[in-house]
């Protein structure tokens, strides 16, 4: 028995088991902490519901009382239950500090005094006495909670149940009248459930079972050690054979790569080779010169390379910095990227001048109508478009006149229009002469 105990101690002292035990203790503590927080949050939610229900019950009557006090003070006429005059001396000393005219309540024995804060000590104001029991009837706490009605400065007005019966714990406050009267719900958090304590105990029991299994595994491992050594020897022999085969295949691969590199380097035009895994494996100098410096590298993915190439067969849609290529599939599954010579297609200058003349003649009446109608934004847009056409064909006078019209305000836009109309015939004549020439 003593030998088995020493074996158990050796297992317990093993690093992984100590770490596992520490983790179980930590997780148990976290579980207990989370259960405690859950109980507190439940108590806070219960206190909030109790306070919200009491606030809704009180709000209507408190608003009515405040409105009656303000009407009495404004009309300077006392009504049933409302007194106009200075507050009683004992209430005046206990009244909280607040701005003049703010609604407040103070407990006075079995009564509650509701009043508007006077402008100064001894100043007249409107006030009335209310039975404390009538206000406490609105404070109906939920089971397991207590309610406290408080006024300015947190002064208590009414409580349910009595103060000595209020449990400590989570509290939630809500305003019945913003800044003047509030209600506070109080709830005692419940205890931690029994299953929360059971989980760490179950984990510790599982750890003990793991310790015992570890001891049995140590005995079994000694018996298997001889068989494992023989197996390791067989695996070592197999690894030697595999290493020799890998060296042969690597040599063949290097030879193929050298052959492909020599073939691509001798290609008459820009070219690159993509292997079966769709990665760049060889290219020549002319292909590298057509792309940004530092872009090409071995094993570059085909998708990354195609971002810098133009593979379309129709008219060029990408910029001149993207060389045009074609992709040719090879018999072994690899692909050859070969450069394609560009054929420039220049547009007819006469056709461009004719189109510019037609556009200017079409937009000129629209510009005049927009200026005369006072639509300056539309006139500026038309002038901007015409100025772009004129500047493309070096019609400097017309360009300058259109720029002046773009920047002109309501007072100078008509004068700018006259400059544009004066420069228009010469510009059209210049386009017509250039077209005939």
């Amino acid at each position: 028995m003593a030998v088995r105990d020493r074996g158990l101690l050796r297992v317990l002292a093993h690093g992984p088991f100590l770490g596992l035990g520490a983790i179980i203790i930590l997780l148990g503590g976290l579980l207990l902490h989370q259960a405690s927080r859950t109980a507190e949050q439940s108590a806070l939610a219960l206190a909030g519901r109790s306070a919200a229900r009491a606030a809704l019950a009180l709000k209507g009557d408190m608003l009515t009382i405040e409105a009656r006090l303000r009407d009495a003070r404004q009309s300077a006429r006392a009504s049933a239950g409302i007194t106009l005059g200075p507050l009683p001396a004992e209430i005046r000393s206990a009244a909280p500090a607040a701005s003049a005219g703010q609604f407040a309540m103070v407990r006075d024995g079995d009564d509650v005094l509701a009043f508007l804060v006077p402008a100064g000590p001894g100043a007249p104001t409107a006030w009335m006495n209310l039975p404390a029991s009538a206000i406490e009837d609105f404070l109906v706490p939920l089971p397991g909670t207590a309610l406290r009605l408080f006024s300015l400065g947190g002064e208590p007005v009414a409580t349910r149940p009595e103060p000595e019966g209020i449990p400590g714990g989570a509290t939630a406050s809500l305003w019945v009248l913003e800044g003047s009267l509030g209600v506070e719900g109080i709830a005692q958090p419940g205890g931690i459930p029994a299953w929360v304590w059971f989980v760490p105990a179950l984990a510790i029991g599982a750890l003990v079972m793991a310790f015992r299994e570890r001891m049995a595994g140590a005995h079994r491992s000694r018996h298997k050690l001889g068989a494992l050594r023989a197996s390791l020897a067989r695996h070592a022999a197999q690894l030697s054979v595999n290493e020799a085969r890998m060296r042969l295949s690597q040599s063949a691969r290097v030879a193929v790569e050298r052959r492909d590199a020599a073939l691509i380097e001798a290609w008459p035009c820009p070219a690159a080779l993509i292997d079966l895994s769709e990665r760049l494996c060889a290219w020549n100098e002319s292909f590298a010169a057509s792309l940004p410096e530092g872009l090409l590298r071995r094993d570059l993915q085909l998708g990354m390379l195609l971002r810098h190439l133009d593979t379309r067969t129709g008219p060029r849609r990408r910029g001149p910095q993207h060389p045009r290529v074609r992709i040719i599939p090879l018999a072994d599954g690899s692909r050859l990227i070969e450069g394609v010579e560009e054929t420039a297609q220049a547009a007819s200058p006469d056709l461009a001048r004719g189109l510019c003349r037609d556009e200017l003649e079409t937009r000129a009446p629209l510009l005049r109508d927009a200026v005369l109608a006072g639509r300056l934004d539309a006139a500026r847009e038309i002038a901007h478009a015409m100025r772009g056409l004129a500047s493309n064909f070096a019609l400097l006078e017309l360009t300058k006149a259109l720029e002046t019209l773009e920047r002109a305000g309501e007072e100078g836009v008509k004068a700018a229009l006259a400059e544009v109309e004066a420069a228009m015939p010469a510009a059209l004549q210049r386009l017509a002469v250039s077209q005939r020439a």
Side-chain angles (χ1 to χ4, degrees):
M1 185 64 182
V3 174
R4 293 180 59 86
D5 290 341
R6 286 197 296 271
L8 178 61
L9 290 176
R10 284 197 300 270
V11 174
L12 288 175
H14 199 265
F17 289 105
L18 287 178
L20 185 59
I23 292 174
I24 290 176
I25 295 174
L26 177 61
L27 292 179
L30 291 176
L31 184 61
L32 292 174
H33 176 69
Q34 184 63 30
S36 177
R37 288 195 58 185
T38 302
E40 291 176 1
Q41 291 174 357
S42 300
L44 182 62
L46 180 62
R49 291 197 300 272
S50 184
R53 191 173 72 166
L56 288 174
L58 282 166
K59 190 175 184 65
D61 289 346
M62 296 300 103
L63 287 173
T64 302
I65 293 172
E66 182 183 9
R68 289 184 59 195
L69 292 175
R70 294 191 184 281
D71 290 341
R73 190 182 68 172
Q74 185 175 3
S75 61
R77 184 174 65 253
S79 59
I82 297 178
T83 304
L84 292 176
L87 293 173
E90 63 275 15
I91 299 301
R92 195 182 312 149
S93 60
S99 57
Q102 193 169 358
F103 179 76
M105 300 182 79
V106 174
R107 183 67 178 260
D108 183 17
D110 293 335
D111 294 331
V112 174
L113 184 69
F115 60 95
L116 299 177
V117 177
T125 186
W127 53 278
M128 65 185 301
N129 278 321
L130 300 170
S133 59
I135 295 178
E136 291 175 351
D137 289 340
F138 290 98
L139 301 177
V140 181
L142 293 174
T145 65
L147 294 173
R148 184 172 70 92
L149 185 67
F150 61 92
S151 185
L152 297 174
E155 294 294 328
V157 176
T159 58
R160 289 289 298 274
E162 293 302 320
E164 57 271 17
I166 297 178
T171 61
S173 301
L174 294 172
W175 286 111
V176 179
L177 299 178
E178 186 68 25
S180 300
L181 190 65
V183 63
E184 183 180 68
I186 309 169
Q188 177 69 37
I192 298 176
W195 66 268
V196 176
W197 298 97
F198 178 75
V199 171
L202 182 63
I204 292 175
L207 183 61
V208 172
M209 295 298 295
F211 288 160
R212 293 187 177 274
E213 181 62 27
R214 177 69 176 82
M215 292 176 62
H219 290 290
R220 289 192 298 269
S221 61
R222 284 195 296 268
H223 294 291
K224 294 180 180 178
L225 186 58
L228 180 60
R229 288 174 179 172
S231 177
L232 287 176
R234 289 194 300 271
H235 282 293
Q238 185 64 40
L239 286 175
S240 299
V241 173
N242 293 339
E243 184 179 1
R245 291 176 179 175
M246 185 176 64
R247 287 177 180 175
L248 290 176
S249 61
Q250 187 175 4
S251 300
R253 179 184 175 186
V254 170
V256 171
E257 289 178 353
R258 290 177 179 175
R259 183 196 63 195
D260 292 341
L263 179 64
I264 294 300
E265 188 63 34
W267 208 262
C269 61
L273 186 64
I274 304 298
D275 61 15
L276 298 179
S277 62
E278 295 193 348
R279 294 178 182 273
L280 182 65
C281 61
W283 62 91
N284 57 16
E285 294 183 359
S286 56
F287 185 82
S290 64
L291 293 173
E293 184 178 356
L295 173 66
L296 298 182
R297 66 178 187 275
R298 290 189 61 84
D299 295 333
L300 177 67
Q301 293 183 356
L302 178 60
M304 297 293 294
L305 180 60
L306 291 181
R307 294 182 182 178
H308 302 272
L309 301 175
D310 187 357
T311 60
R312 296 183 178 91
T313 57
R316 174 180 284 277
R317 296 183 180 179
R318 308 185 74 173
Q321 68 275 15
H322 296 83
R324 177 170 289 183
V325 299
R326 61 169 170 250
I327 300 178
I328 304 172
L330 302 179
D332 62 351
S334 59
R335 282 179 276 187
L336 175 68
I337 299 179
E338 186 180 47
V340 179
E341 295 184 359
E342 300 282 350
T343 56
Q345 297 180 352
S348 172
D350 292 342
L351 178 61
R353 293 189 185 95
L355 291 175
C356 179
R357 177 185 175 89
D358 293 342
E359 284 293 320
L360 291 176
E361 289 178 343
T362 301
R363 294 178 185 268
L366 299 178
L367 177 62
R368 179 178 179 80
D369 293 342
V371 171
L372 296 180
R375 294 182 286 109
L376 294 185
D377 291 339
R380 291 190 181 101
E381 290 181 3
I382 297 172
H384 181 76
M386 294 175 66
R387 181 164 67 89
L389 291 171
S391 63
N392 287 338
F393 291 90
L395 304 177
L396 301 181
E397 294 183 1
L398 181 59
T399 301
K400 183 177 180 181
L402 288 168
E403 184 178 2
T404 303
L405 191 147
E406 274 192 81
R407 297 180 179 178
E410 294 183 0
E411 299 178 355
V413 68
K414 292 185 179 179
L417 177 63
E419 294 181 10
V420 172
E421 291 179 342
M424 183 66 72
L428 296 177
Q429 182 64 25
R430 182 177 176 183
L431 291 173
V433 170
S434 298
Q435 188 175 4
R436 286 195 298 271

